[in-house]
């Protein structure tokens, strides 16, 4: 039974692969139309040459066999180049099909207010920006939005491919939801943040399919270089008949076209679009949506990474592990004060303070007529104003000292306790009542496994890592040393991230950062690469130029590697293509002129059978090398952390020297195979 099931699956995969290939070849033929060919000048010249050789053969400029052979080989060359681009696009469309399944004819329950119990059933397409909708367990979320009430576990497999449910909650940085995903438990009220037809899923599909693909700056620059080289060689080849006239050498159009095709960089010209599309596809395979190919490419050039400590370097689930009261304060007093300040603190840390106090036997009673001060990333304080006039606050050391209008130098015990907690890599939170410091809460976090090795890998690439944290300098230094980051910013506010990015950019560096909250949006927009979390707020996703569907902050490291692989792949194949041309010169030029100019025999190192076999051998090699390189263009050259000098050396040895030697061998072998056929 199991064997039968596997057999059926294998048959289905084979059928799918066959259809996939058929679709790619169909699109390759469609791309022969002038409106498509003009987008790739190098291959457009080859296509024009194909037509010229066909017409020249028909009017008797060369033997029928030779002329049609050249025409056929040139046609195959163009089709292989088109196929490379078509197969890359087909892969993207295949990836988009699963996304399209999530975009169904959904309905929505629209509410008049978030407290409304009755909603009106409408089509999801009728939803407008800022509409409020209710979604219950078992229902699909009809539109992109932010949860403004409630929490729920959500299955995002339709978008991310990950079946494990995720928690989304109002009032946190994990409040963003995507249309087409499914609510598994509880009830949520969502505020719509995208118009119909402009949802995150719609844009993802368009990007993945390639309809919105824009050429990257490097791709444009290389395309211009290839075009200039092509024009230069056209001028050179067109001058040859005039030179031949003085030497009494007649060169027919078919030979001229063949020579031109071998001189111009057809290999990289044919593969360049596929390399660009494949870069986007590799990003998607890593569950990253790049809003443009430029973003993928820039990622390969970044030399500074700005990373949040929490969730990126550490697991992010900091938990209160101990209360340390100062002299004259009982542990119960400290616990009570800490609990009161945490009642309005929705962060995991705030919740853990309440949980620890309960575990230690503290009764939690919410006071009446009290004013809660919610936690704020800017002030880094939460607290409560009691009805009797007392003010209690909990927060970072410097923030609490500022609140209590006190100096650390006057609190030797507090200073010692904070140092003790920080030296362990934990985070100290200080609690104060009015102007009196009550004690310290210890928050413990754990550094992620393997993170130190990843930073070492980045250092090998010449990339500087900067950790950003709201912790005090002692804690930040301890964690930075343990994690192996190059630098850190302690007691950071949202604007500090922005300032740090600007400072590094002013020094000429390209900066990447990761974020998920609305307060991260300015920094994400300022950074050269902004990686937003899919679970984050809509503002963050709009500001970033990449979105991580897995909401894994460490994915930034993978983004850099994908970008570098893109640059390395294009560089390696360009080197190989240009090196190929050198060998083809030695194959064709001596064969053309050696009969009339015996002195050129010294250049005829390949000793090919005849001028016709030399031309056909070079053209055949020129045609077959493109499909042979398609897997490398789509998969990318294997990336190893190394310096620019090491990369250049490896490129020149493997793809430069190899690109020169391979054609010599291959063309000679092809010549030995076809020479007997031509002599018949």
């Amino acid at each position: 039974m199991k064997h039968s099931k596997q057999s059926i699956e294998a048959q289905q995969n084979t059928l799918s692969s066959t259809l996939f290939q058929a679709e790619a070849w169909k699109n390759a033929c469609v791309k022969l139309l002038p409106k498509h060919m003009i987008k790739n000048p190098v291959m457009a010249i080859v296509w024009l040459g194909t037509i010229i050789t066909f017409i020249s053969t028909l009017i008797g400029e060369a033997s029928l066999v030779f002329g049609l052979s050249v025409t056929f080989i040139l046609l195959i060359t163009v089709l292989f180049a088109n196929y490379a681009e078509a197969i890359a696009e087909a892969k993207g469309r295949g990836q988009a099909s699963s996304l399209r399944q999530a975009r169904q004819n959904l309905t929505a329950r629209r509410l008049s207010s978030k407290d409304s119990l009755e909603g009106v059933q409408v089509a999801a397409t009728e939803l407008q920006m800022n509409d409020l909708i209710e979604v219950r367990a078992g229902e699909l979320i009809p539109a992109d939005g932010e949860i403004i009430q409630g929490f729920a576990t959500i299955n995002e497999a339709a978008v991310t491919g990950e079946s494990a449910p995720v928690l989304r909650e109002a009032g946190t940085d994990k409040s963003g939801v995507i249309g087409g995903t499914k609510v598994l438990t509880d009830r949520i009220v969502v505020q719509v943040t995208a118009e119909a037809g402009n949802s995150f899923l719609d844009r993802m599909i368009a990007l993945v399919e390639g309809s919105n693909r824009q050429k990257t700056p490097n791709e444009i620059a290389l395309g211009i270089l290839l075009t200039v080289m092509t024009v230069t060689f056209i001028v050179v080849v067109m001058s040859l008949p005039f030179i031949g006239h003085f030497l009494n050498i007649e060169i027919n159009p078919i030979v001229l076209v063949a020579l031109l095709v071998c001189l111009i960089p057809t290999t990289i010209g044919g593969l360049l679009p596929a390399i660009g599309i494949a870069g986007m596809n590799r990003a998607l395979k890593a569950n990253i949506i790049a809003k443009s190919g430029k973003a993928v490419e820039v990622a390969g050039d970044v030399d500074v990474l700005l990373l949040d400590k929490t969730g990126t370097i550490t697991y992010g689930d900091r938990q209160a592990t101990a209360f340390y009261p100062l002299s004259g304060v009982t542990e119960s007093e400290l616990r009570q004060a800490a609990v009161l300040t945490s009642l309005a603190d929705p962060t995991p840390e705030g919740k853990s303070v309440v949980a620890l106090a309960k575990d230690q036997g503290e009764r939690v009673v919410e006071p009446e007529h009290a004013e809660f001060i919610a936690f704020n990333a800017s002030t880094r304080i939460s607290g409560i104003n009691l009805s009797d006039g007392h003010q209690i606050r909990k927060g970072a050391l410097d923030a609490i000292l500022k609140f209590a209008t006190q100096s650390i130098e006057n609190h030797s015990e507090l200073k010692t306790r904070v140092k003790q907690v920080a030296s362990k890599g934990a985070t100290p939170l200080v609690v104060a009542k009015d102007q009196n410091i009550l004690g310290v809460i210890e928050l413990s976090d754990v550094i992620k496994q393997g993170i130190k090795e990843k930073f070492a890998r980045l250092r090998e690439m010449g990339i500087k890592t900067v950790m950003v944290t709201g912790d005090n300098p002692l804690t930040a230094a301890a964690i930075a040393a343990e994690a192996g980051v190059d630098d850190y910013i302690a007691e950071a506010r949202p604007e500090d991230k922005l300032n740090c990015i600007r400072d590094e950019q002013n020094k000429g560096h390209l900066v990447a950062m990761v974020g998920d909250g609305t307060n991260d949006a300015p920094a994400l927009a300022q950074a050269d690469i902004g990686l937003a979390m899919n679970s984050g707020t809509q503002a963050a996703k709009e500001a970033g130029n990449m979105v991580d569907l897995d909401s894994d902050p460490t994915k930034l490291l993978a983004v850099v590697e994908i970008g570098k692989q893109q640059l390395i792949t294009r560089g390696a194949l360009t080197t190989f293509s240009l090196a190929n041309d050198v060998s083809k010169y030695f194959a064709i030029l001596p064969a053309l002129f050696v009969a009339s100019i015996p002195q050129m025999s010294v250049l005829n190192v390949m000793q090919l059978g005849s001028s016709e076999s030399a031309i056909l051998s070079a053209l055949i090699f020129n045609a077959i090398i493109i499909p042979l390189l398609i897997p490398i263009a789509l998969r990318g050259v294997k990336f190893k952390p190394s310096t620019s000098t090491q990369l250049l050396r490896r490129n020149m040895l493997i793809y430069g020297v190899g690109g020169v030697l391979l054609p010599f061998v291959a063309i000679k072998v092809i010549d030995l195979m076809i020479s007997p056929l031509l002599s018949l």
Side-chain angles (χ1 to χ4, degrees):
M1 184 72 178
K2 186 178 179 181
H3 178 75
S4 176
K5 187 178 179 182
Q6 289 175 341
S7 177
I8 292 170
E9 286 179 355
Q11 290 175 1
Q12 288 175 339
N13 290 335
T14 304
L15 179 63
S16 175
S17 177
T18 305
L19 294 172
F20 181 77
Q21 298 288 343
E23 182 194 5
W25 279 115
K26 178 185 174 184
N27 289 333
C29 294
V30 170
K31 289 179 183 291
L32 292 174
L33 295 172
K35 66 177 183 180
H36 296 299
M37 290 303 305
I38 198 67
K39 295 176 183 177
N40 191 340
V42 176
M43 299 317 298
I45 293 296
V46 180
W47 180 221
L48 181 62
T50 308
I51 297 170
I52 293 171
T53 58
F54 182 66
I55 295 171
S56 299
T57 302
L58 293 181
I59 62 177
E61 291 285 346
S63 69
L64 190 63
V65 173
F66 177 70
L68 289 179
S69 298
V70 171
T71 303
F72 177 72
I73 296 168
L74 293 181
L75 176 61
I76 291 297
T77 303
V78 178
L79 283 174
F80 278 153
N82 288 350
Y83 176 74
E85 183 176 3
I87 201 168
E89 290 174 345
K91 281 181 176 290
R93 281 191 292 272
Q95 290 171 319
S97 63
S98 61
L99 298 174
R100 192 176 280 107
Q101 291 173 4
R103 194 179 57 181
Q104 304 174 23
N105 293 323
L106 301 174
T107 59
R109 194 177 299 104
R110 186 161 57 194
L111 305 176
S112 56
S113 70
K114 70 176 184 179
D115 298 318
S116 177
L117 298 176
E118 295 293 330
V120 180
Q121 207 75 20
V122 298
T125 52
E126 294 180 22
L127 292 172
Q128 302 293 320
M129 189 85 78
N130 298 321
D131 277 355
L132 300 180
I133 53 176
E134 179 193 39
V135 191
R136 298 171 184 168
E139 297 177 346
L140 293 173
I141 298 171
D144 293 358
E146 299 269 357
I147 301 175
I148 61 170
Q149 187 180 86
F151 60 89
T153 51
I154 296 172
N155 184 346
E156 295 182 344
V159 176
T160 66
E162 178 57 57
S163 58
V166 293
L167 182 67
R168 298 286 177 262
E169 185 175 0
T172 69
D173 286 340
K174 308 288 185 186
S175 61
V177 291
I178 299 173
T181 56
K182 190 175 184 178
V183 175
L184 300 179
T185 63
D186 302 292
R187 168 191 177 273
I188 52 175
V189 176
V190 177
Q191 185 175 31
V192 178
T193 56
E195 299 283 357
N198 194 37
S199 68
F200 184 63
L201 207 56
D202 290 313
R203 284 178 290 165
M204 279 173 63
I205 292 168
L207 287 165
V208 172
E209 288 184 325
S211 59
N212 286 1
R213 192 183 91 86
Q214 296 177 336
K215 290 184 178 180
T216 67
N218 283 349
E219 191 177 346
I220 293 169
L222 183 56
I224 293 170
L225 175 64
L226 298 181
T227 303
V228 170
M229 289 177 66
T230 302
V231 172
T232 304
F233 284 123
I234 289 172
V235 173
V236 171
V237 170
M238 287 181 69
S239 66
L240 287 179
F242 299 100
I243 297 171
H245 177 72
F246 292 105
L247 298 171
N248 295 318
I249 302 172
E250 188 176 343
I251 307 174
N252 67 54
I254 296 176
V255 173
L256 286 175
V257 170
L259 178 60
L260 176 62
V261 171
C262 288
L263 289 175
I264 63 176
T266 50
T267 306
I268 187 62
L271 293 173
L272 193 57
I275 294 169
I277 296 168
M280 297 277 286
N281 291 343
R282 277 196 295 275
L284 184 68
K285 197 173 179 180
N287 262 2
I288 298 164
I289 296 295
K291 295 183 180 180
S292 70
K294 181 182 177 182
V296 177
E297 194 166 273
V298 172
D301 285 328
V302 298
D303 47 10
V304 176
L305 292 188
L306 211 64
L307 306 113
D308 276 322
K309 184 202 76 173
T310 308
T312 306
I313 295 171
T314 63
Y315 283 104
D317 54 350
R318 293 190 304 179
Q319 303 289 312
T321 50
F323 295 103
Y324 299 111
L326 298 185
S327 300
V329 180
T330 66
E331 196 164 326
S332 180
E333 284 178 309
L334 176 59
R335 287 198 299 259
Q336 272 294 332
V339 167
L340 290 174
T341 61
S342 301
L343 292 174
D345 186 353
T347 64
E349 293 89 342
K351 293 176 180 178
S352 75
V353 170
V354 177
L356 180 63
K358 285 182 177 178
D359 289 343
Q360 295 184 358
E362 208 65 46
R363 285 183 68 245
V364 178
V365 180
E366 188 173 324
E368 296 181 355
H369 311 298
E371 179 192 0
F372 289 102
I373 310 297
F375 176 79
N376 186 292
S378 178
T379 62
R380 293 175 297 127
I381 280 181
S382 63
I384 188 172
N385 294 335
L386 299 173
S387 57
D388 58 8
H390 288 298
Q391 296 181 330
I392 308 174
R393 296 291 187 271
K394 174 191 86 230
L397 173 64
D398 62 319
I400 293 297
L401 288 172
K402 187 178 178 182
F403 163 77
T405 60
Q406 295 195 28
S407 170
I408 188 67
E409 303 304 326
N410 299 328
H411 283 280
S412 58
E413 187 187 1
L414 175 64
K415 189 176 181 179
T416 303
R417 183 62 71 183
V418 166
K419 280 185 177 180
Q420 286 175 345
V421 172
S423 64
K424 297 189 288 183
T427 301
L429 288 182
V430 183
V431 181
K433 185 175 183 180
D434 301 322
Q435 270 65 57
N436 300 315
I437 308 292
L438 301 181
V440 177
I441 306 170
E442 181 183 279
L443 295 179
S444 297
D445 200 354
V446 181
I447 290 176
K448 291 185 175 180
Q449 286 185 340
I451 199 77
K452 193 166 186 175
E453 288 74 16
K454 287 183 178 179
F455 288 142
R457 188 178 171 95
L458 288 168
R459 199 172 294 109
E460 288 177 25
M461 300 181 220
I463 297 171
K464 176 185 175 184
T465 51
V466 181
M467 181 185 78
V468 182
T469 176
D471 292 336
N472 66 77
L474 277 172
T475 304
I479 293 175
E482 189 178 349
V485 295
D486 298 310
D487 200 1
Y488 64 89
I489 301 172
E491 298 176 345
R493 297 164 298 174
E495 56 266 30
D496 292 331
K497 294 181 185 179
L498 190 60
N499 293 333
C500 178
I501 292 170
R502 285 172 176 166
D503 289 343
E504 293 291 348
Q505 288 173 332
N506 290 335
K507 296 174 186 175
H509 298 297
L510 291 177
V511 185
M513 80 156 283
V514 63
D516 59 2
T518 302
N519 63 332
D520 291 326
L524 286 169
Q526 179 68 36
D528 299 284
I529 291 294
L531 179 65
M533 300 294 99
N534 179 40
S535 61
T537 61
Q538 190 67 24
K541 286 189 280 189
E542 291 291 340
N545 44 22
M546 287 185 172
V547 179
D548 177 26
L549 301 179
D550 296 330
S551 300
D552 177 10
T554 59
K555 194 68 72 67
L556 189 58
L557 311 181
V559 168
V560 172
E561 291 194 359
I562 290 169
K564 285 195 175 294
Q565 188 181 31
Q566 172 82 342
L567 294 173
I568 292 167
T569 301
R570 187 183 293 122
L573 293 183
T574 301
T575 303
F576 185 81
S577 175
L578 298 179
N580 276 187
D581 295 338
V582 175
S583 303
K584 288 180 286 188
Y585 304 158
F586 282 96
I588 289 186
L589 287 174
L592 286 178
F593 297 107
V594 73
S596 303
I597 310 173
Q599 292 85 345
M600 289 194 70
S601 61
V602 295
L603 297 176
N604 192 16
V605 294
M606 299 182 73
Q607 298 293 312
L608 302 179
S610 65
S611 60
E612 289 187 349
S613 71
I615 291 167
L616 288 175
S617 299
L619 287 177
I620 290 170
F621 173 79
N622 199 55
I624 64 175
I625 198 65
I626 293 175
L628 291 176
L629 292 176
I630 288 176
I632 297 176
L634 297 181
R635 186 180 64 251
V637 174
K638 190 174 180 181
F639 170 72
K640 292 181 180 178
S642 51
T643 63
S644 302
T645 306
Q646 290 171 327
L647 282 174
L648 181 61
R649 191 185 299 121
R650 191 178 67 164
N651 246 14
M652 294 307 296
L653 284 173
I654 298 175
Y655 296 96
V657 177
V660 171
L661 296 178
L662 177 64
F664 276 106
V665 177
I667 291 172
K668 183 64 179 178
V669 171
I670 296 169
D671 177 73
L672 292 172
M673 293 170 64
I674 66 173
S675 288
L677 297 175
L678 292 174
S679 61
L680 294 177

